[in-house]
Structure formats: C-alpha cells, structure tokens
Amino acid sequence: MKQIKQWVLAATLVCGVTAFMTGCKEKANEDNPVQQVTSEELIRTSQSWDGVELPDYFQGRPELVAMKYVFPAGQKLGWHHHPVMNYGILVQGELTIIGQDGKEKTVHEGEAVVEMVNTIHHGENRGTKPVILYMFYLSQKDLPLAVQHPEIPLE
C-alpha cells in the first residue's frame, strides 16, 4: 500500500508540472480579469503509443525526471530503448516515432505521448520547425533514461 501511495504522489507531482508547462496559469490585469483555472486531461492509459501494456511499477524509491528535448528540423534521434516508463507533451512541431518493426506514430503540437518501454525505436523531426518536447520519466536512482543502439544504422 505504501508503494502505491508513493507512486500516486509521484504521478500527482508530474501532473502538476505538466499543467504548469501547458499554460493553465493566467495573469490578471485591468483588461484581463483573473480567469478560473481550468484543466484538461490529455491522456490516461496503461499502454504505450503502440498499444503494448506498460510494465508493473518498480519496487523501491521512485526517482522522477523531467526533460526538455529540442529536435531541429530534419534531425533524427538514433535507435534507443527506455528501461523506464515515460510520457510527454509535445509543445511545438511534429515528431514521428518509429519502432524497429516499422510501426510509426506522429505526435502533433499539444498532444501527449506514452513512450515504448524496453522496445527499440527512434524519433525524427520531418517538419520545417524545431520540435520541443517535454518528457517525464518514472525511474529509480542509477537507471538510465535511455539506452542507445548505435549498432543499428539509421536510414
């Protein structure tokens, strides 16, 4: 039960960061009275973007990591896999994620994505402007967020 409470707290903290970064705060001034805080659930799932069930939570103390990635136009990220669960919000551009099996998912501005766990894939910015992506990892101390596979060539 304690483990579940820790993960609920961890998820709540990550959701708070997500809400802040997606702009639900409004400034008040004479021309713009204080607005009510709104919320919008972007995603709720127990599967990665390719439909595979996410693994069970780790045992032990969680470590939450928030990362900002910027992909220049035309840039490809090498083949890699994530040993930990992660999800994110794409705040600018479009990012195409390609699994080693050839399955693809294009994430558009404002969309949330749940990444594959322990499945090799890579990302590409096929657009004309930089992609800005915020990712949130549910990890543990000393675990890598991603493991690179430079032995697999990009096309």
Side-chain angles (χ1 to χ4, degrees):
M1 188 63 148
K2 183 179 178 184
Q3 194 70 17
I4 292 171
K5 288 180 183 177
Q6 288 176 337
W7 282 105
V8 168
L9 175 62
T12 301
L13 291 171
V14 171
C15 289
V17 170
T18 303
F20 174 76
M21 290 186 342
T22 57
C24 69
K25 288 179 72 176
E26 293 282 340
K27 286 188 176 180
N29 62 40
E30 290 179 14
D31 298 326
N32 181 23
V34 175
Q35 300 292 314
Q36 293 294 319
V37 174
T38 64
S39 65
E40 175 185 354
E41 186 172 287
L42 298 178
I43 194 166
R44 181 186 297 247
T45 184
S46 59
Q47 299 177 342
S48 57
W49 66 263
D50 62 339
V52 174
E53 289 292 320
L54 293 171
D56 290 336
Y57 285 125
F58 294 117
Q59 295 293 319
R61 182 174 305 278
E63 182 176 73
L64 304 180
V65 182
M67 298 288 296
K68 176 184 179 182
Y69 295 98
V70 178
F71 293 74
Q75 184 67 38
K76 293 182 180 182
L77 187 62
W79 291 101
H80 62 281
H81 77 270
H82 303 283
V84 299
M85 287 184 277
N86 64 97
Y87 68 98
I89 308 290
L90 195 127
V91 297
Q92 179 179 292
E94 291 184 352
L95 179 67
T96 302
I97 306 167
I98 301 101
Q100 197 173 18
D101 62 359
K103 189 181 282 189
E104 292 188 8
K105 164 112 178 130
T106 299
V107 184
H108 305 276
E109 197 167 296
E111 290 182 345
V113 62
V114 177
E115 273 278 35
M116 302 167 139
V117 179
N118 291 319
T119 299
I120 297 174
H121 61 283
H122 79 277
E124 298 180 2
N125 179 353
R126 297 175 177 168
T128 58
K129 65 180 177 179
V131 162
I132 299 175
L133 175 67
Y134 290 101
M135 293 298 294
F136 306 96
Y137 297 83
L138 304 173
S139 187
Q140 285 185 312
K141 187 176 188 219
D142 299 326
L143 278 179
L145 302 179
V147 176
Q148 302 300 315
H149 292 279
E151 72 279 6
I152 306 171
L154 286 174
E155 299 160 1

